[in-house]
Structures are given as C-alpha cells and as structure tokens.
Amino acid sequence: MSKFEEKTIKTKEIFNGKIIKVSVDDVRLPNGETSIRELVKHQGAVAVIAVTEDKRFIMVEQYRKPLEKALVEVPAGKLEPNEAPEVTAIRELEEETGFTTEHLEYVTSFYTTPGFCDELIYLYYTDKLIPLTEEKALDEDEFLECQSYTMAELDDLIKRERIHDLKTMYAVQYLKLRGFD
Amino acid sequence: MSKFEEKTIKTKEIFNGKIIKVSVDDVRLPNGETSIRELVKHQGAVAVIAVTEDKRFIMVEQYRKPLEKALVEVPAGKLEPNEAPEVTAIRELEEETGFTTEHLEYVTSFYTTPGFCDELIYLYYTDKLIPLTEEKALDEDEFLECQSYTMAELDDLIKRERIHDLKTMYAVQYLKLRGFD
C-alpha cells in the first residue's frame, strides 16, 4: 500500500473529450473519512529540446486558448494511444520545426500537475538536426511559427513572459546546467 | 490581436467543481475554419522552496490520486479567490512544514499545462525559516509528511522517480543554478 493511499469508493464520469477525460471520485482517506477528488486524465505528451549546429535553440510560438495569448515553447505534442514516446518526439519535431534527427537523447519525464491530472511529459534532447526536404503537415487545427534563439534571447523571452510555461522554463535551466550560455 | 488568435464562438460549460471548471469552446481558427478546445480553469497555486540553515531542502510527501501513488514535492497549495500569492505561500509553508518566514523571495511564475489549462504557479524561495511554536492545521482532507533532504538526496529521489513532478524538478534545477550542491 502506498503512503496515505486514498481508495476509490465510486467514480463518476463527467466528460470524455478528445484531449481530456474528467471524473469525480469519492475516496476513502487515510483517517477513514471520505472526500472527493476531481481528476483529469490525459494521454501524455513529449517535448523536444532541439539545438542547431551554431548553438541556437528551436522554439515554436502558438496560441494557447486557455490563456488567450500566444506563448513561445519547446516543440511538443500529445502521445497517440499506444505510441512510443520517441516516435511521437520525432514526429512532432518534424512537423513543428522542419528538422528530423537520428540522435534523440532521452532527458527525463515529469508530471505537469499531479494534484488533479495524470499528464506525463517525456523530454528529449537533440543537437544533431537534419533539415527535411519536404514540409510535413501540422494537425489541421494547429497554427504555429518556428524560430531559433540564442540563450540571451531565451532569457529575455522568459523575462518578458513570452516564454512562460514550465516545461520550456525547465528546458532552459537544463541547457544552462548542461553548459550552454 | 494576438498571433494566431482563436476567437470564441460559443462556450459550453461541462463541469463546475471545487478545484477545476471544465468547458468546451467552439473557436474560429486563424484560417477561418472552426474547431473545438477543451479548457480547464484552475484558481492557480503557489510553491515554496524552503532551505534550512544547514542547507537542507524541505519537501512534503503526499498521495496524488491522479497517479495513484505518493510523490515528494516542494510545499505548495492552491490560491484562494482574491488572495495575494505571498499570503498563500506563507500559509502553505506554515501548514505543511511547521516553519514561517519574514523573508519570502519571489522567484518566478509559470503555466503548468498551457495546452488545456490556465493554472499559473507562483514560485517563492526562503532560507530564513522560523519554527512555529504551535502546529497549524492542514485542510481536513490533506495528509502529508514533511522532511528535509540534502542535494544528493534530492538527486537520488529524482532518479528513483519519488520526486517526479515538474515544479519540484524545476526547483531543484533552480537551486543548482543558484549555487547549491
């Protein structure tokens, strides 16, 4: 038994969407009392740190509807059911940046919001980029702009909150600890 | 107008919970087509990096129902409506760790999952901890264990995926870049 385990008494399904599923669980607390937990299920995702030969960092800018503004982020995308994360990572890299790679390095994984959602992101790194000869299609409802930046530019984007999501801010710290400046 | 803006045509409310609200929006895409966006609203949260005089890092372990396991994380908690983040940060520090502080340093803020949720976390730092003489009550459905670790121990917890959430992994990188080892 896991520490402080909360056993499910009943699950009520609220929403079964394309991106998320929502349920409300009645749970038995460690002290025997009951409570409810609001839970979001997500397929998981990948993100790719892509570094060019001249040590520039490739980012994509896209509109984020929940925030009603565009953010600059590391290339990323959702896992398809039963898809290996490395496969998703290569596909998203190709679609979003126009590069591919034969050298994808696994960095780490992390839960983005463990309090209410099970989304797990797998983070990869590559500095061996190969330009694609043909552009790959994005999802039909996906619009983004791809650009590369120096570390000083990334620092400035963070300061101005144009980069403002945790996975990208983690990626920038990771690059600094890896020796990029 | 923000780049690639997606204008809301219609909002359908799905769920209005204690922690999250869920809606599905019909949106007009930049190319004139329509699509849907599944959106989760969250009040936002704070997290606190708390460092003891002998350079140990205070973490809390708690069960995370979405993952069906316990994780070790930086002390954190949800904002109350209209509450200043620094007030939440002090309250969560006091409730979860038994320490308070008069020197809370703002580090940064970040969106945890901008693709589908507007949760924003404010991150703070303190290395001026004052032990409370009386224990503060946790929320009635909250069970956790507080412990302090060395940096080597944090690295090991990450390796073993006992620390596995993005805000805590960001905090550990932040501490390293700040010179802790």
Side-chain angles (χ1 to χ4, degrees), chain A residues 5-135:
Chain A
E5 185 169 359
E6 299 174 354
K7 284 210 183 292
T8 304
I9 300 166
K10 202 180 72 185
T11 296
K12 188 181 167 195
E13 294 208 2
I14 302 287
F15 176 63
N16 191 346
K18 216 176 57 162
I19 311 295
I20 56 169
K21 292 179 188 185
V22 180
S23 69
V24 177
D25 279 21
D26 293 337
V27 299
R28 178 80 55 197
L29 298 171
N31 65 358
E33 302 291 317
T34 61
S35 188
I36 62 153
R37 297 288 178 239
E38 299 168 6
L39 304 171
V40 176
K41 289 209 174 297
H42 185 285
Q43 190 69 43
V46 300
V48 184
I49 301 173
V51 185
T52 66
E53 254 178 67
D54 54 345
K55 297 194 178 5
R56 294 176 68 88
F57 309 100
I58 299 183
M59 298 281 155
V60 297
E61 182 168 3
Q62 64 193 307
Y63 193 75
R64 292 308 205 171
K65 185 63 185 167
L67 322 178
E68 298 291 8
K69 65 181 175 187
L71 289 185
V72 175
E73 302 174 36
V74 285
K78 286 178 295 293
L79 290 169
E80 299 293 337
N82 303 315
E83 188 176 44
E86 311 84 60
V87 175
T88 321
I90 297 282
R91 189 187 64 234
E92 293 293 340
L93 181 69
E94 292 180 349
E95 288 178 5
E96 297 196 348
T97 74
F99 289 97
T100 190
T101 185
E102 289 170 359
H103 296 84
L104 198 65
E105 186 183 315
Y106 173 69
V107 175
T108 191
S109 67
F110 35 67
Y111 291 105
T112 49
T113 52
F116 65 91
C117 178
D118 66 350
E119 185 193 24
L120 182 68
I121 293 184
Y122 298 86
L123 180 66
Y124 294 89
Y125 169 93
T126 178
D127 55 14
K128 305 273 190 303
L129 294 169
I130 306 161
L132 293 173
T133 48
E134 261 182 70
E135 210 170 290

Side-chain angles (χ1 to χ4, degrees), chain B residues 154-172:
Chain B
L154 293 185
D155 284 337
D156 183 60
L157 287 166
I158 289 174
K159 205 168 145 193
R160 293 190 292 123
E161 298 189 341
R162 302 271 292 107
I163 289 177
H164 202 189
D165 77 303
L166 186 44
K167 70 177 177 311
T168 305
M169 289 166 69
Y170 179 93
V172 172

Side-chain angles (χ1 to χ4, degrees), chain A residues 18 141, chain B residues 24-27 34-38:
Chain A
K18 216 176 57 162
D141 64 350
Chain B
V24 177
D25 279 21
D26 293 337
V27 299
T34 59
S35 189
I36 62 152
R37 296 288 177 240
E38 299 167 6

Side-chain angles (χ1 to χ4, degrees), chain A residues 3-4 6 8 18-20 35 37-38 61 65 109 111-113 119 141 145 164 166 170 173, chain B residues 3 6 8 18-20 35 37-38 61 65 109 111-113 119 141 145 164 166 170 173:
Chain A
K3 197 180 278 182
F4 307 128
E6 299 174 354
T8 304
K18 216 176 57 162
I19 311 295
I20 56 169
S35 188
R37 297 288 178 239
E38 299 168 6
E61 182 168 3
K65 185 63 185 167
S109 67
Y111 291 105
T112 49
T113 52
E119 185 193 24
D141 64 350
E145 204 171 86
H164 203 187
L166 185 45
Y170 179 92
Q173 284 184 331
Chain B
K3 195 179 279 181
E6 299 173 353
T8 304
K18 214 177 58 161
I19 311 295
I20 56 169
S35 189
R37 296 288 177 240
E38 299 167 6
E61 182 168 4
K65 185 66 185 167
S109 66
Y111 290 105
T112 48
T113 53
E119 185 193 23
D141 64 351
E145 203 171 88
H164 202 189
L166 186 44
Y170 179 93
Q173 284 187 334

Side-chain angles (χ1 to χ4, degrees), chain B residues 20-79:
Chain B
I20 56 169
K21 291 177 189 186
V22 180
S23 69
V24 177
D25 279 21
D26 293 337
V27 299
R28 178 79 56 197
L29 298 171
N31 65 356
E33 300 291 318
T34 59
S35 189
I36 62 152
R37 296 288 177 240
E38 299 167 6
L39 304 170
V40 176
K41 289 209 176 296
H42 186 284
Q43 189 69 44
V46 300
V48 184
I49 300 172
V51 185
T52 66
E53 252 178 70
D54 53 346
K55 296 193 177 8
R56 294 176 69 88
F57 309 101
I58 299 182
M59 299 281 156
V60 296
E61 182 168 4
Q62 64 193 306
Y63 193 75
R64 292 309 205 172
K65 185 66 185 167
L67 322 179
E68 299 290 9
K69 65 181 173 186
L71 289 185
V72 175
E73 302 173 38
V74 285
K78 286 179 295 295
L79 288 169

